[in-house]
Amino acid sequence: MPDGPDRGGDAALAVVATTPEVLAHPELDEALLAPWERRRLDRIRLPGRRADVLAARLLVRLCVTRATGLPLDTPDFAQLCPGCGGEGHGRPYLRGRPGTGVSLSHADGLVAAAAGPGPIGIDVEPSTRRPGPAHVLRRLLPEAGLGEGAAEGAAEGPAPSDGPELLRLWVRAEARLKAGGGRGVDGTDGAGPGGLRLLEWTDRPRAAVAAVAATTGVAITCV
């Protein structure tokens, strides 16, 4: 079980798992995906990446089922890009259920998904990953947040001891962005803009760092 956030019975659910764990789940099968999702899978040439994408899309269905009581084959998933307005990419949502937020993430054999009332976003990364040199991160994260994990003026990127803290900042910012709150890192210990609350934790058995942003409490569960 992950270390950190409360796992008591809250309204939203989040899961972190390995790709093999999800693909071995007896209730989850590629046939649950919509035709447009399977077409996208067919275009992925790297087997490992294809497996990660498939596992993430199956895991988010499991989260929706647990959060809403809907059968696994019921949710009608879609994606809408807030930038271009196009379908089939961008932020995921459920057709016909505007009050239920969904989010998914995958990275190098790890997957995460979340579902619950209102906006929600989740991100996962391997705990050994480093998100990039400081000059790149300064363009993507607020400088105040970057100052928590990297020395001001660093030219060669974060020192090795700074890497874990920068990774934590990164997943928190990504989770908030996916929930529609912008790429900020504030609100970790309380509600931020838009009422979003950020929870970040380390899943040690899976060597993963994850974060979820939501307007409700979040229960972290297993596959």
Side-chain angles (χ1 to χ4, degrees):
M1 295 291 288
D3 301 326
D6 180 12
R7 292 183 285 272
D10 294 309
L13 296 176
V15 180
V16 171
T18 66
T19 292
E21 284 178 317
V22 175
L23 297 184
H25 194 287
E27 296 180 82
L28 301 178
D29 186 87
E30 187 172 331
L32 291 169
L33 270 58
W36 68 269
E37 291 176 291
R38 293 197 289 271
R39 287 194 296 270
R40 287 187 60 180
L41 280 177
D42 290 341
R43 294 196 292 267
I44 300 174
R45 301 305 179 192
L46 296 176
R49 179 171 174 77
R50 186 188 190 280
D52 289 349
V53 172
L54 171 60
R57 291 182 176 277
L58 292 175
L59 187 60
V60 76
R61 283 169 164 80
L62 187 65
C63 283
V64 170
T65 292
R66 291 177 177 177
T68 67
L70 292 170
L72 273 169
D73 60 354
T74 298
D76 187 2
F77 281 87
Q79 285 182 263
L80 179 66
C81 177
C84 71
E87 293 275 355
H89 64 286
R91 188 169 297 151
Y93 68 98
L94 297 179
R95 288 193 179 95
R97 297 187 68 89
T100 301
V102 293
S103 183
L104 62 155
S105 178
H106 55 84
D108 298 341
L110 295 169
V111 290
I120 195 164
I122 195 166
D123 193 59
V124 66
E125 295 285 351
S127 58
T128 54
R129 175 167 291 175
R130 298 298 172 254
H135 74 276
V136 173
L137 292 175
R138 283 194 179 93
R139 296 201 305 265
L140 302 177
L141 299 175
E143 287 199 23
L146 184 57
E148 297 178 30
E152 191 66 27
E156 301 299 326
S161 60
D162 295 324
E165 178 60 22
L166 285 172
L167 184 64
R168 292 173 61 197
L169 290 172
W170 178 264
V171 297
R172 280 150 49 184
E174 285 292 296
R176 185 179 170 196
L177 180 67
K178 290 179 179 181
R183 199 184 282 274
V185 295
D186 59 317
T188 304
D189 298 317
L196 288 174
R197 300 176 64 90
L198 284 164
L199 295 174
E200 170 261 315
W201 72 99
T202 299
D203 188 321
R204 299 187 189 282
R206 297 173 181 85
V209 176
V212 61
T215 55
T216 66
V218 180
I220 311 300
T221 67
C222 296
V223 177

